[in-house]
Amino acid sequence: METDDVTRVEWREWGTDAFEEAADQDVPVLLSLTATWCDHCHEMDAETYAVPTLAANVNDGFVPVRVDVDRHPRVRDRYNMGGFPSTVFLAPDGSILTGAGYLGHDGLRQVLERVRSVWETKGAEAGSIPRPLQDTEPPAGQLTADVERQMLGQLTDQYDEAAGGWGEEPKFPLPDALEFALKRDREMALRSFDAVSANLLDEYEGGFYRFATGQDWSGLQHEKLLDSNAALLRAFANAYLYTGEDSYRKPAERALEYLTTTLWVPGDGEDGDGRPHGGAFAGSQAPGDPESHVLEASDREAVDQPPVDETVFAGANALAIDALCTYRAYTDDERAGRYAERALETLRDAMLEDGIVTHYRPARVNGGWNVESERGLLADQARVLQALTSARSILGADTVDDAAAVADATIDRLRVDDSFVDGPRSGAGLLERPLRPLDANVELADALLDLGAITGDDRYERVARETLEAFAGASDRFSVQVARYASVAARVLEGSLVIRIGAPAGSDLHRAACRIADHEKVVVPGVQDASDVPDGAAVAERDSRRTDPATTPAELSDRVSNLLA
């Protein structure tokens, strides 16, 4: 039990002890979902939970539990009330009595009274289970070309002609939708890229803000998260691949600078040449004083920087590694490759064991690792697998064994029927109930396709296809937020473009292969002992078609163009 100096609420840790205490005392649980980067969370602490009578009311009539949503994503995904903070009232069995977002002191007082009354009248019978946790089987179906066509239709219907991007309000950057549109409607995609860079990019400090509350991109929310910055860095790098225009390279470069400075947590070690190694990326940066973001550059220099949460999250670091590899592939930027290698070293040495990924580590990257963290979460497994395959494709890193171990462990532990649950089916509250998140299933399927292309093991492609088919019965209703589903479905149906190279990473042929304008391709450098890929040559293939070996970048470009024609 921990009494918060700000709130005076006696917060418990998430776990079975808190729910057993609630059962023993026959009272509800008050679950507070917060994030270090969430200003409204800190505001609710200071203005609501800090009221002494309210804090006493909570302590006396409820078992209060505080959860950091970044550190406990399975709790977040089961109890999120649509944003943070989320204020959720639970029965001791974990079922939901009611919930809300931010509550002022009058609002919380009213809700406490109402929940207490309902509890005294109905008890645990008043609790309910969210629908995604009731229906354990997603609607299966067949993959067809309609999936891609329907998603493009969704993007076209929701495209904002005036402000760019998709949807009304709030306005999120939607990097997966940006990347999907790059290959299907370039004009719509680039106008949306322009809107994101014009409105969400911090021109002074670098990095992208999380979202805007207004349809016209007004009402910026100034927190910066590693995962969204990594995804946008990769998306802008891919826009640069197709256009060659600096207007798309520069936002990616500014995101790279932000990641490798503000969000970089150095390692303590040095290699034999005295160069630093290890290190990783911090999870997020708080928004800070809103007034500071409208100051002139010279005035901002005097303002204290918002605090950074230096927790190292495996999945977000894996996204960053993938993004840095992508940027490196198109620009030869040595810094991107160097930081990708260092973060990958930390990921493999400190957060990966026998194919199982540890969700997070505390601020100190080398040392101070004693923390209870979940392991083997689907999103982490998928993203680490993608980072390992990207490092193999772009940097020529020796990561295939680790990638296969991650893929195999994920399939063995999390695959139930033909799709994947979000983590171990155990824990307090509703964690024992399986949840099959579409976005993480799609991320894993995408990474499995890459691994299958690299290894030649068609088992991974088969699992990827079956995973997508497990959700295909609802594909006509998928929102633009999961545009990646359609991208991966197209890869399965049409076959990925795979370029195998009998030359090492960094060679002219490898660099040329990386720059072929298809961001969904797979490049495999350093192929040896393959009769169809001679030394010093490259062979491209898609589905059952294959080019003759090419020995120069120009030859490779011509043969790939003919293959895709």
Side-chain angles (χ1 to χ4, degrees), residues 385-386 389 392-393 400 403-404 407-408 411 444-464 491 496-498 500 522-524 541:
L385 176 57
Q386 187 69 71
T389 58
R392 170 69 182 94
S393 294
V400 174
D408 294 344
I411 293 168
L444 181 66
D446 206 5
L448 288 172
L449 290 177
D450 286 355
L451 181 60
I454 290 170
T455 63
D457 189 339
D458 60 8
R459 176 172 61 105
Y460 298 123
E461 181 177 346
R462 183 175 67 252
V463 172
R491 291 186 64 191
S496 300
L497 172 62
V498 182
R500 306 185 191 280
V522 183
V523 177
V524 190
E541 57 189 45

Side-chain angles (χ1 to χ4, degrees), residues 268-310:
D268 293 335
E270 293 183 347
D271 62 21
D273 296 326
R275 295 175 300 183
H277 65 82
F281 299 100
S284 62
Q285 184 178 27
D289 181 359
E291 298 299 323
S292 69
H293 296 280
V294 297
L295 296 174
E296 296 294 332
S298 57
D299 295 325
R300 286 186 70 171
E301 292 180 3
V303 176
D304 290 338
Q305 292 301 303
V308 171
D309 179 357
E310 292 190 343

Side-chain angles (χ1 to χ4, degrees), residues 12 18-19 21-22 25 27-31 58-59 61-65:
R12 277 67 157 180
F19 286 91
E21 180 183 350
Q25 296 183 9
V27 296
V29 172
L30 189 163
L31 172 63
V58 169
N59 293 333
F62 301 84
V63 173
V65 176

